Amino acid sequence: QLLEQKADALLKLEILTYEKHGRRLLGVSREALNRITTLALAYRLKKDERYLQQLEREMRSVCTFKDWNPSHFLDVAEMACAVALGLDWAGEYISPELSGMAKNALVEKALKPGIAASANNFWKGVDHNWNLVCNGGLAMAALVVFEDEPELSSAILHQAVETIPLALHPFAPSGVYPEGVSYWSYATAYLTLTISAFESALGTDFGFTDYPGIMESSNFSMLMAGPSGSYYNYF
């Protein structure tokens, strides 16, 4: 019922457009993720054609953006996650034309910029949330287009498996996350999505859940919540 309510509310909204706030497109990417996943899952469960039509309109719009703002690569990663999950969850229902457009957008606007030797891709060598979000979004995109672009997708997946461990070390030894609870939520949400995608598509999590503190970090999140419901947070 909650999912239906959310999907019904989305039917009343204007389609997303390319609108940066300062140097970021991140707000649009996050809203795309919210809308596309909600509509795709709602359609799978309810088969209400209105949800599929709105999903196609939203996906078509973001896939025709001039870019996904690689100068602030979180924007690319979250949009890639949105389109990849839309294709994975509803690809059998959307039109072949839109499916091709979406896969091309993932390749041109996410995977190619994500493999490039560029200062925008500093996140490959860091140990904080950018690593897990950017690698995660690209990895999901690579899995979705693998059959069409095996070489490029393989390069992206190898890059993810090689560099994600850099961002797993800060969880050690007991799960206390140095960026605080809100960034723990952001980073770990994408890590969880990535692990789930790897397990379902490839049958392995590449040992990520065995790193010290990863599984224990859920306790850190709970223990930082006060009786008021607010979190003790820091960065």
Side-chain angles (χ1 to χ4, degrees), residues 30-225:
R30 288 180 174 171
E31 182 59 17
L33 181 59
N34 170 54
R35 294 186 187 190
I36 289 171
T37 54
T38 298
L39 292 164
L41 188 56
Y43 182 73
R44 287 196 74 90
L45 294 174
K46 302 300 294 186
K47 295 299 186 293
D48 185 328
E49 289 298 319
R50 297 176 304 157
Y51 299 155
L52 181 60
Q53 291 166 6
Q54 190 76 358
L55 172 67
E56 290 192 332
R57 285 191 287 265
E58 294 286 8
M59 288 185 65
R60 189 178 304 278
S61 177
V62 300
C63 289
T64 55
F65 285 1
K66 62 178 181 178
D67 58 46
W68 289 343
N69 200 34
S71 64
H72 189 258
F73 212 87
L74 292 177
D75 310 9
V76 176
E78 296 216 35
M79 191 70 83
C81 178
V83 174
L85 290 179
L87 280 169
D88 188 55
W89 294 359
E92 65 204 89
Y93 306 116
I94 64 176
S95 71
E97 178 262 342
L98 176 57
S99 179
M101 176 189 294
K103 289 180 179 180
N104 182 69
L106 289 174
V107 170
E108 298 298 329
K109 296 178 172 65
L111 299 188
K112 287 183 178 179
I115 204 69
S118 166
N120 295 332
N121 294 338
F122 70 91
W123 48 266
K124 299 177 188 178
V126 302
D127 63 358
H128 53 69
N129 67 90
W130 279 66
N131 178 316
L132 297 177
V133 175
C134 294
N135 270 315
L138 291 180
M140 284 181 274
L143 291 172
V144 166
V145 304
F146 189 90
E147 293 179 355
D148 301 287
E149 293 282 348
E151 187 173 342
L152 176 60
S153 296
S154 292
I156 290 286
L157 292 169
H158 276 93
Q159 176 175 277
V161 172
E162 289 170 1
T163 59
I164 282 174
L166 291 172
L168 303 184
H169 293 300
F171 288 83
S174 57
V176 177
Y177 193 64
E179 292 189 277
V181 177
S182 62
Y183 277 110
W184 171 85
S185 178
Y186 186 38
T188 310
Y190 271 85
L191 175 62
T192 304
L193 282 168
T194 307
I195 288 171
S196 180
F198 284 163
E199 286 178 338
S200 63
L202 306 174
T204 178
D205 70 354
F206 294 99
F208 294 160
T209 54
D210 294 330
Y211 275 73
I214 296 296
M215 301 305 290
E216 294 85 355
S217 70
S218 60
N219 294 326
F220 157 70
S221 176
M222 289 190 290
L223 290 168
M224 289 295 100

